[in-house]
Amino acid sequence: MTGLNTEQQRAVEATEGPLLIIAGAGSGKTRVLTHRTAYLILAKGVPSHNILAVTFTNKAADEMKERLERLLGPSGSRIWVSTFHSACVMILRKHIGKLCYGNNFVIYDDDDQMKLIKKVLKDLDMGEKAIKPQTLQARIDEAKNDLVDAETFSMDASDFFTERVARGYLAYEREKKKNNAVDFGDLIMLTVRLFSEHPDILQKYQDLFRYIMVDEYQDTNYAQYRLVAMLSSRYRNICCVGDDDQSIYRFRGADIRNILDFE
């Protein structure tokens, strides 16, 4: 507790059940999360491998790891500290066979995604006058952030434009699957699907991650919200830290309602 103010100490000690911490920029949010993690291990006896800390960038995850290792020594390295996407990659590498993919799947970056979208539009004889590749890419990413797969999107398409998007989305998914590839949006959407279709696998990770902490919660989108909601639903030890006045990922589907509706 050394160096923590009264509110920070309260946040560190509130270990059981759901907890939302609203904190502005520069108010020591990461400090609270790292000290709370140390408190769970040293004061509450929680095994370090039963804690998952999720943040948004590799840089932030590395910084949190360094702070935890300074606080806890070698045991700090056994805590799962990662981005949402990295955590999902580790889960999917073990279980994606349940979804009819190979475990050696390839992850497409934005450039790979764009190349495939251009190929798909050419194969469909849909030039840029019909739909721009950048527009289709954005709509696919948006759909995946909302956990809307290609088949569902296609069934819901109700006008000329969304029908074109649906045709492109379906063809894109078919080609990507042939290549045993996933894109960034798939990483979270497929993990949520895996947990939904295989409750035994979900329970395995619920038992593993009994304490979950999410940094920069105001930047989560619906898919990320569903992922942490599923993981935390068994033990309900979920701690989210965010600032409802500061969201930098709205262009990626970040939904401020995740903070406003946390209760």
Side-chain angles (χ1 to χ4, degrees):
M1 296 299 174
T2 304
L4 300 181
N5 64 34
T6 304
E7 293 302 310
Q8 289 172 332
Q9 288 181 20
R10 286 180 63 201
V12 165
E13 291 176 321
T15 59
E16 307 307 304
L19 175 68
L20 177 64
I21 302 169
I22 301 293
S27 59
K29 289 180 286 189
T30 305
R31 182 179 179 83
V32 167
L33 285 183
T34 52
H35 281 252
R36 190 174 186 274
T37 304
Y39 183 81
L40 282 167
I41 294 169
L42 300 175
K44 306 287 285 188
V46 176
S48 55
H49 62 267
N50 285 149
I51 300 171
L52 170 66
V54 187
T55 187
F56 274 81
T57 65
N58 290 319
K59 181 179 178 182
D62 290 341
E63 181 185 344
M64 194 178 293
K65 286 177 188 174
E66 289 173 9
R67 292 193 188 195
L68 285 168
E69 288 182 23
R70 285 200 297 269
L71 277 172
L72 294 164
S75 65
S77 63
R78 292 194 290 272
I79 300 163
W80 276 53
V81 182
S82 71
T83 64
F84 279 95
H85 293 97
S86 295
C88 289
V89 169
M90 287 186 278
I91 292 168
L92 291 173
R93 287 288 181 204
K94 294 182 180 179
H95 305 289
I96 201 170
K98 298 281 188 181
L99 303 177
C100 300
Y101 285 81
N103 289 343
N104 60 338
F105 61 86
V106 177
I107 302 173
Y108 280 179
D109 61 17
D110 289 344
D111 290 339
D112 297 322
Q113 188 184 24
M114 181 55 69
K115 286 176 187 174
L116 183 56
I117 284 172
K118 287 179 177 178
K119 176 186 180 301
V120 161
L121 291 177
K122 184 177 179 182
D123 292 344
L124 292 173
D125 198 23
M126 291 169 60
E128 289 206 13
K129 288 185 179 180
I131 185 170
K132 292 183 178 179
Q134 295 83 356
T135 301
L136 180 57
Q137 183 182 39
R139 291 302 296 267
I140 290 173
D141 290 344
E142 184 181 295
K144 291 183 178 185
N145 287 339
D146 290 333
L147 297 179
V148 178
D149 62 24
E151 289 75 16
T152 304
F153 190 97
S154 182
M155 286 188 292
D156 292 342
S158 57
D159 58 57
F160 189 60
F161 174 71
T162 54
E163 285 172 0
R164 285 178 173 177
V165 173
R167 285 181 63 203
Y169 191 0
L170 284 165
Y172 168 76
E173 290 299 303
R174 282 195 299 269
E175 289 297 314
K176 186 162 53 63
K177 186 76 179 290
K178 284 182 191 175
N179 298 332
N180 194 36
V182 301
D183 58 30
F184 284 116
D186 287 325
L187 294 173
I188 296 174
M189 189 164 77
L190 288 175
T191 305
V192 170
R193 182 183 151 201
L194 175 74
F195 288 161
S196 298
E197 295 179 4
H198 300 278
D200 56 322
I201 296 176
L202 172 60
Q203 185 173 333
K204 172 184 175 179
Y205 286 97
Q206 288 172 333
D207 289 338
L208 178 62
F209 301 133
R210 297 191 179 212
Y211 292 85
I212 299 171
M213 285 174 277
V214 183
D215 197 10
E216 305 295 356
Y217 187 61
Q218 76 279 351
D219 289 327
T220 52
N221 58 38
Y222 178 70
Q224 291 160 335
Y225 159 77
R226 284 290 302 140
L227 179 70
V228 294
M230 294 175 86
L231 282 170
S232 61
S233 62
R234 185 172 173 84
Y235 295 98
R236 300 181 70 250
N237 297 321
I238 174 84
C239 170
C240 296
V241 181
D243 178 357
D244 53 355
D245 288 330
Q246 181 185 3
S247 179
I248 63 172
Y249 288 118
R250 286 180 186 164
F251 68 97
R252 291 188 191 170
D255 192 341
I256 196 66
R257 288 175 297 179
N258 290 349
I259 275 190
L260 303 179
D261 296 343
F262 181 85
E263 185 176 352

